[in-house]
Amino acid sequence: MSTHGSGHALARGIQRITASALGPYQSAVIRIGFSATYLLFLLREFPHRHEMYGPDAPWRWDMAQQLISGNQAFTTLMWTDSTVWFEIVYALALIAAALLMVGWHTRAMSVLFMAGVVSLQNRSIFMGDGGDNVIHLMAIYLMLTRCGQVWSLDARRARRTAEGARGPGDAVGPLLWIAFGAVLVWGMATRSLGGTVWLPTLFWILWVAQGAWWAVNRYAPRSEHRTLLDVIANLAHNATLVVIMAEVCLIYATAGWYKIQGSRWQDGTALYYPLKLDYFSPWPALSDILASSGLMVMVVTYATVAVQVAFPFTLFNRRVKNVLLVVMICEHAGIAVLLGLPFFSMAMIAADAVFLPTVFLVWLGGRVTLGRDRLLGRRARVPAPRDGDAPVPGTGTPGAGTGAPAPGAREAAEHGTDGGHTLVG
């Protein structure tokens, strides 16, 4: 009987990771968070783009070319030193970040977003901070996730199609696919995709998979081939989500354990020194107030180390994990204000979002939708109650006869959200 029960548990586990893409709300928040962070960064640095990544950069084009010839990194800015080409790449990076944020043709935009991030960062590797490394990694991971399932224009288009409001065929997807294929062929012919093997291979796999996905959806939407593609996409998504969670844990664990080895972190004075640096003091008066309290400096210093070291060990306890998430988000908000590192903090908060509870994200989405409708003067559409409606599990939403569903409750039910505790909610 024990073996029989174990077999059923294993079967349920396999069914869960193959039949659905887990954490749809968490992956959507990661998509929105990182694309918004990079979009705001590019907009803020727009007046200085030539000095950072362009023809006026201290790290000259020939110097970057010499370095890249040794480390085999990928960047489209090494294709030519033309200023016009630089402006095109910068503009495409801006557009890709904006379109990925709203979820328009998410698969294609995630590839273009990754190419823009990697191209700019590899052009001038000495620019930026630790947040750039996180964005760099997450941009690669996002290509393998189904991060447009909710809170995206793609999800809205799919919902309208399912409701029978199918309009004329979307020609943008095939055109993007053809354009990416042409770029890949040209890049392989001119050896412009970097010196590594894995990146061109990944590009080609994504390109072939997207073509197969479109063809099956167009000509055999209910076939076994469509089911197989769904299973493969779900496995890739779920595996990548695990990698993202492991990456976040690794960032905090390594940061915490390295801090423990530092004498200033051991004696509780580490926070004092950056507060006294002009470069990290956008609000000198506020920094002086905090630095003047030895007790506050010691408490924040030790709390930072304790939270970073402890976080990976709290993932299987929902309450403790959620408390530490709040503490870490507040910590990053403090770093953004006190040390003047807003984009680093935004990147880390977006990475932390992979552990946010699903019920909270559904509630947050409902509040955002309600606020948007009030701002635009729309009347909320309340579905008519149906006989036998049951509460949506984990949301506390009553069924028929007890009131209208709360905003986001239907979405949670459609994606199989049960409100239980998992690593991603």
Side-chain angles (χ1 to χ4, degrees):
M1 290 182 63
S2 176
T3 304
H4 187 67
S6 300
H8 275 295
L10 179 61
R12 286 196 301 269
I14 295 175
Q15 172 70 13
R16 182 168 174 78
I17 64 174
T18 58
S20 62
L22 302 177
Y25 295 93
Q26 287 80 5
S27 55
V29 172
I30 292 173
R31 183 197 84 234
I32 295 170
F34 280 102
S35 56
T37 299
Y38 205 63
L39 175 63
L40 293 175
F41 172 77
L42 294 179
L43 289 174
R44 191 194 71 171
E45 300 300 339
F46 189 81
H48 316 291
R49 63 192 184 282
H50 288 179
E51 291 79 12
M52 294 187 66
Y53 306 112
D56 300 331
W59 188 251
R60 300 191 311 271
W61 190 83
D62 58 326
M63 298 169 65
Q65 189 178 43
Q66 183 178 358
L67 177 64
I68 288 173
S69 65
N71 62 18
Q72 305 297 316
F74 166 77
T75 170
T76 58
L77 292 178
M78 288 295 100
W79 292 358
T80 174
D81 60 351
S82 168
T83 303
V84 175
W85 176 243
F86 166 76
E87 298 288 1
I88 292 173
V89 171
Y90 200 93
L92 287 176
L94 273 169
I95 294 170
L99 294 179
L100 181 62
M101 182 177 64
V102 299
W104 184 80
H105 289 276
T106 309
R107 297 178 188 276
M109 289 305 110
S110 65
V111 176
L112 189 59
F113 175 73
M114 187 281 296
V117 169
V118 173
S119 294
L120 292 173
Q121 291 186 359
N122 286 343
R123 166 62 179 86
S124 298
I125 61 173
F126 299 108
M127 295 291 180
D129 49 39
D132 292 327
N133 295 331
V134 178
I135 294 175
H136 191 128
L137 292 171
M138 295 301 173
I140 297 175
Y141 298 151
L142 277 174
M143 294 191 300
L144 302 175
T145 64
R146 307 184 75 172
C147 56
Q149 297 178 95
V150 297
W151 298 342
S152 67
L153 296 180
D154 288 347
R156 186 178 69 173
R157 184 171 61 249
R159 185 167 59 250
R160 290 179 175 179
T161 300
E163 292 172 353
R166 182 186 297 271
D170 183 13
V172 177
L175 290 177
L176 288 173
W177 184 78
I178 293 172
F180 283 148
V183 172
L184 285 177
V185 171
W186 179 86
M188 294 294 292
T190 58
R191 298 182 180 180
S192 302
L193 298 179
T196 61
V197 176
W198 71 268
L199 188 59
T201 302
L202 178 60
F203 281 151
W204 279 112
I205 290 174
L206 292 173
W207 185 79
V208 172
Q210 187 60 22
W213 187 277
W214 180 87
V216 170
N217 276 334
R218 180 68 180 272
Y219 300 108
R222 301 185 182 280
S223 65
E224 292 182 358
H225 299 91
R226 176 65 168 80
T227 304
L228 177 62
L229 290 178
D230 257 329
V231 169
I232 295 173
N234 291 336
L235 286 173
H237 169 93
N238 295 332
T240 305
L241 210 59
V242 172
V243 172
I244 291 175
M245 291 187 292
E247 189 77 46
V248 175
C249 291
L250 186 62
I251 290 172
Y252 283 120
T254 53
W257 287 105
Y258 271 113
K259 285 181 175 67
I260 287 178
Q261 301 175 46
S263 59
R264 299 305 178 202
W265 291 97
Q266 293 174 6
D267 60 26
T269 62
L271 179 64
Y272 175 84
Y273 298 98
L275 292 175
K276 289 299 182 179
L277 294 176
D278 293 338
Y279 183 78
F280 292 111
S281 299
W283 311 99
L286 188 59
S287 298
D288 290 341
I289 292 174
L290 181 59
S292 64
S293 173
L295 177 62
M296 184 62 67
V297 168
M298 183 184 67
V299 169
V300 175
T301 299
Y302 285 148
T304 299
V305 177
V307 169
Q308 291 181 348
V309 172
F311 179 72
F313 300 100
T314 65
L315 295 182
F316 297 97
N317 188 302
R318 177 174 56 186
R319 294 179 179 177
V320 178
K321 178 204 71 172
N322 291 340
V323 170
L324 287 190
L325 272 177
V326 173
V327 173
M328 287 193 298
I329 291 173
C330 292
E331 174 189 331
H332 290 305
I335 291 174
V337 175
L338 288 174
L339 303 183
L341 297 172
F343 299 109
F344 166 78
S345 298
M346 289 178 65
M348 290 308 303
I349 291 173
D352 293 341
V354 72
F355 297 109
L356 288 174
T358 300
V359 173
F360 167 74
L361 293 176
V362 172
W363 174 86
L364 182 63
R367 301 285 78 74
V368 171
T369 301
L370 186 60
R372 180 199 62 190
D373 291 341
R374 287 179 176 176
L375 182 64
L376 298 178
R378 299 176 181 174
R379 296 184 61 184
R381 293 182 299 173
V382 180
R386 297 173 297 175
D387 293 337
D389 279 352
V392 177
T395 63
T397 304
T402 58
R410 182 189 296 180
E411 262 186 286
E414 289 175 355
H415 289 279
T417 304
D418 59 5
H421 173 58
T422 65
L423 289 181
V424 290

